[in-house]
Amino acid sequence: MSGTEAPAVHFENVGMRYGMGPEVLSDVSFEIAPRSFQFLTGPSGAGKTTLLRLILLSVRPTRGLVSVFGEEVSGISNEALTGLRRRMGVVFQDFRLLDHLTTYENVALPLRVQGRSETNYRAEVVELLRWVGLGERMHVLPPLLSGGEKQRAAIARALIARPELLLADEPTGNVDPTLARRLLRLFMELNKLGTSVLIATHDFGLMDLIDARRLVLGDGRLRIEE
Ligand SMILES: Nc1ncnc2c1ncn2[C@@H]1O[C@H](COP(=O)(O)OP(=O)(O)OP(=O)(O)O)[C@@H](O)[C@H]1O
């Protein structure tokens, strides 16, 4: 790879407020390098989800500059925005599984969107579902899954298309510590295959397991602990 490869994410003096509310983020500057692994942490309400929404381009900064995969996103067309989003895998805090599709179909969705045929992807989806411990639950609709099972289905869906950038909002909040460690291993394996990973978490036990960079939010500011 060339040394000039664009960072997955670049923020420069980003400020963000919702409507007329107070500024949630102030002068936030950082980069996520290609193939890097980091945690995003800070107290409840510090703006972790807001920062993920900015990267996902689902909210716009009030000031400053946001670039994703080398593209500055202000004024970007909807088509280009969809193209950038497809390169990301996201684990939302509230899972966002589609209730009318089975667990298997939810996880297969990103591959279907890519136009791949089921014969081509079925084995891959089943293998990942087994890996996250949902092999026996793949034909179940999400409303019948437990909180931890929904979380694992959401993680599998985010990973299945091997995204260039994985964003995960509290991805171990609903699972026991043993499974949390396995999921962390899964994120690290994905990272070794070339995906940049950003995990928002309060879980110090999880962060202490590995020596990864930490982006720490507090009072609207971002501090980086290498
Ligand atoms: N859609 C919204 N409209 C107005 N204010 C919002 C909205 N979303 C978040 N906020 C406010 O922005 C601030 C940061 O919220 P955010 O959800 O980004 O924090 P967080 O660090 O992810 O919190 P938690 O760890 O509890 O999920 C909070 O004060 C929150 O009330």
Side-chain angles (χ1 to χ4, degrees):
M1 291 284 164
S2 90
T4 57
E5 195 179 354
V9 176
H10 173 88
F11 274 41
E12 216 171 291
N13 302 116
V14 168
M16 167 67 198
R17 66 171 82 233
Y18 290 98
M20 301 300 282
E23 204 162 53
V24 176
L25 301 175
S26 304
D27 291 322
V28 167
S29 299
F30 71 98
E31 278 192 355
I32 294 182
R35 297 174 297 285
S36 63
F37 190 110
Q38 46 262 296
F39 292 111
L40 170 64
T41 191
S44 180
K48 301 181 292 298
T49 301
T50 301
L51 190 139
L52 295 180
R53 286 185 190 135
L54 283 162
I55 298 173
L56 268 169
L57 317 174
S58 59
V59 295
R60 296 300 172 104
T62 338
R63 58 195 173 82
L65 185 141
V66 173
S67 303
V68 178
F69 302 125
E71 275 202 51
E72 209 270 286
V73 301
S74 64
I76 193 173
S77 70
N78 282 340
E79 199 186 353
L81 194 139
T82 305
L84 292 177
R85 276 204 191 126
R86 287 226 174 115
R87 295 164 68 181
M88 305 182 204
V90 192
V91 184
F92 294 100
Q93 211 166 2
D94 57 359
F95 316 124
R96 307 224 189 145
L97 299 168
L98 299 178
D99 286 350
H100 63 288
L101 298 181
T102 65
T103 302
Y104 167 87
E105 288 165 341
N106 265 282
V107 173
L109 202 57
L111 302 181
R112 261 181 62 194
V113 169
Q114 286 179 357
R116 283 175 59 183
S117 72
E118 204 200 349
T119 34
N120 172 282
Y121 64 61
R122 185 174 170 77
E124 255 172 74
V125 174
V126 170
E127 190 193 342
L128 183 57
L129 280 164
R130 290 206 178 114
W131 211 96
V132 298
L134 290 175
E136 306 293 316
R137 305 288 279 158
M138 68 174 108
H139 301 302
V140 172
L141 294 173
L144 299 176
L145 296 176
S146 73
E149 287 172 339
K150 283 181 192 165
Q151 187 145 52
R152 284 179 270 154
I155 290 170
R157 187 183 54 186
L159 301 189
I160 191 69
R162 299 216 180 141
E164 285 168 68
L165 172 64
L166 178 79
L167 305 170
D169 201 353
E170 299 287 353
T172 58
N174 291 278
V175 299
D176 64 50
T178 309
L179 186 58
R181 277 198 297 277
R182 281 188 63 200
L183 291 173
L184 181 63
R185 259 203 345 260
L186 190 60
F187 294 139
M188 291 167 71
E189 277 173 26
L190 189 78
N191 176 241
K192 285 202 190 92
L193 293 172
T195 296
S196 307
V197 177
L198 178 64
I199 300 176
T201 183
H202 287 111
D203 185 347
F204 282 93
L206 188 78
M207 286 187 279
D208 285 344
L209 289 174
I210 59 170
D211 187 20
R213 185 172 177 241
R214 295 183 192 186
L215 311 180
V216 186
L217 279 172
D219 299 322
R221 308 278 164 167
L222 185 89
R223 191 178 82 240
I224 298 175
E225 294 177 4
E226 298 290 349

